[in-house]
Amino acid sequence: MSKETQTSYPVCYRCLVAGRVQGVFFRATTRYEAQQRGVTGYAKNLPDGRVEIIACGDPTMVEGLCEWLREGPANAHVTGVACEVIDHQVYPFFTIA
């Protein structure tokens, strides 16, 4: 496998975003940002007030989305983002769960 092929291999991240991230269009805006980057997966609210994001795709695009999560949409107040690499999964598009 060439070095170029290795760098474009898809990745998946699971991110947990804390702060004022529910009720501020965080999931909808995350979906928009993911779609702009060609990233698939989902965003869903958790009972503890955080938002969980699964983001899969090109490593550069997924990492860009993870960076965006640190700010989020205008009305959000992000206090923490924890991302981890997970086994690659196939999602046809990015959804709100």
Side-chain angles (χ1 to χ4, degrees):
M1 188 182 299
S2 71
K3 187 174 186 176
E4 182 178 314
T5 303
Q6 290 174 346
T7 59
S8 63
Y9 194 79
V11 298
C12 283
Y13 283 60
R14 177 180 183 252
C15 298
L16 298 174
V17 184
R20 190 176 69 225
V21 294
Q22 291 190 12
V24 293
F25 296 100
F26 199 95
R27 294 176 300 152
T29 310
T30 300
R31 179 179 59 188
Y32 173 80
E33 292 292 330
Q35 290 171 337
Q36 295 302 302
R37 293 170 169 83
V39 173
T40 62
Y42 66 80
K44 75 174 184 177
N45 286 339
L46 297 177
D48 65 5
R50 296 180 297 170
V51 173
E52 176 187 53
I53 291 98
I54 301 294
C56 302
D58 175 87
T60 302
M61 295 298 138
V62 171
E63 289 168 13
L65 180 64
C66 292
E67 283 300 312
W68 177 85
L69 294 173
R70 297 183 190 293
E71 295 294 321
N75 292 330
H77 179 73
V78 177
T79 59
V81 178
C83 293
E84 64 181 342
V85 176
I86 61 172
D87 289 338
H88 184 261
Q89 301 173 36
V90 177
Y91 295 92
F93 38 77
F94 197 94
T95 61
I96 296 174

